[in-house]
Amino acid sequence: MHNTDISNTKADIRASIQDISGSQEIDENNTDKSAPTERIVLVYNRINWAEGFQCYGSFIDNFGNLYEYDFSTYTYGTDWNEEIFKQSLWESYLHSEPVKYNIADSSELNNILSSETYNIDPNTEMTRECTGSADMGQYVLYACGTNFEMIKLRSIGDWNEEMQDKTAKKICEYFDNAIKNK
């Protein structure tokens, strides 16, 4: 993948993210990050190792606000692992403003995720199939529990994986219909 392809991919993601928000008004009072229930609830991450490490994407807080991040400056395996990823997401959340406010109805988002995330069995089998692609990278959707436990729901790219848990599938469907594909 060439740098122009990477730029185009990032531009495509940004365009999709902008489509998500529609014409909703910005609520500047919806950013109190000290609220005890505030947390990151969904993470949509793109990761690729072709022509260097790439790791960027977006996440949604429980107010329905969308944030973007780019952690591509890390070196995978050397200074990058799951704990650093989670810490970097949290730092990004605390020290940045949303790129879009209220992309999802916060009460609906919280009802689905708060009650449903706890019903996911993290030991549920993942289907896995090779797409025949190489250097495409992965688009991974995670749901996050209150202790910031990241549960991989699905991954699409060089390999397609999907958790075979009915609750996980329900959250993926919600993401696709209410957030991603608006």
Side-chain angles (χ1 to χ4, degrees):
M1 182 176 273
H2 300 292
N3 285 340
T4 54
D5 294 336
I6 295 166
S7 297
N8 289 341
T9 302
K10 287 183 180 181
D12 291 343
I13 288 174
R14 281 198 186 88
S16 296
I17 288 168
Q18 288 173 355
D19 288 344
I20 290 169
S21 66
S23 61
Q24 297 173 353
E25 285 192 35
I26 293 176
D27 179 2
E28 296 293 341
N29 298 319
N30 209 7
T31 61
D32 178 17
K33 294 180 182 173
S34 63
T37 60
E38 180 130 56
R39 60 188 175 102
I40 298 170
V41 293
L42 285 174
V43 177
Y44 191 57
N45 185 53
R46 178 165 192 296
I47 192 164
N48 196 355
W49 297 269
E51 298 185 26
F53 178 64
Q54 302 159 36
C55 180
Y56 57 88
S58 59
F59 60 87
I60 299 169
D61 68 15
N62 67 333
F63 290 122
N65 298 323
L66 181 79
Y67 296 76
E68 289 183 332
Y69 63 88
D70 188 340
F71 303 142
S72 298
T73 58
Y74 286 93
T75 304
Y76 185 78
T78 305
D79 59 357
W80 188 255
N81 59 46
E82 184 178 335
E83 285 306 310
I84 291 173
F85 179 53
K86 288 167 46 172
Q87 180 64 35
S88 298
L89 284 171
W90 189 248
E91 290 293 323
S92 178
Y93 176 66
L94 291 175
H95 301 293
S96 65
E97 293 298 317
V99 294
K100 297 288 179 183
Y101 292 84
N102 305 314
I103 66 161
D105 177 81
S106 62
S107 62
E108 180 183 15
L109 182 68
N110 284 312
N111 285 339
I112 288 171
L113 293 171
S114 297
S115 60
E116 300 293 343
T117 303
Y118 299 110
N119 294 324
I120 296 173
D121 178 1
N123 298 316
T124 301
E125 183 178 326
M126 298 276 283
T127 60
R128 184 176 169 121
E129 70 173 309
C130 179
T131 62
S133 299
D135 298 335
M136 182 176 166
Q138 294 297 125
Y139 293 88
V140 184
L141 179 63
Y142 298 94
C144 302
T146 53
N147 294 324
F148 206 21
E149 172 192 13
M150 293 181 67
I151 302 167
K152 180 167 47 169
L153 304 176
R154 73 167 175 224
S155 180
I156 298 171
D158 294 334
W159 287 88
N160 288 344
E161 298 175 302
E162 185 174 14
M163 184 177 261
Q164 294 303 298
D165 178 274
K166 68 179 182 174
T167 304
K169 288 182 178 190
K170 181 178 178 180
I171 294 172
C172 289
E173 183 179 332
Y174 171 78
F175 175 79
D176 291 341
N177 294 327
I179 298 173
K180 182 182 172 196
N181 293 328
K182 277 193 169 186

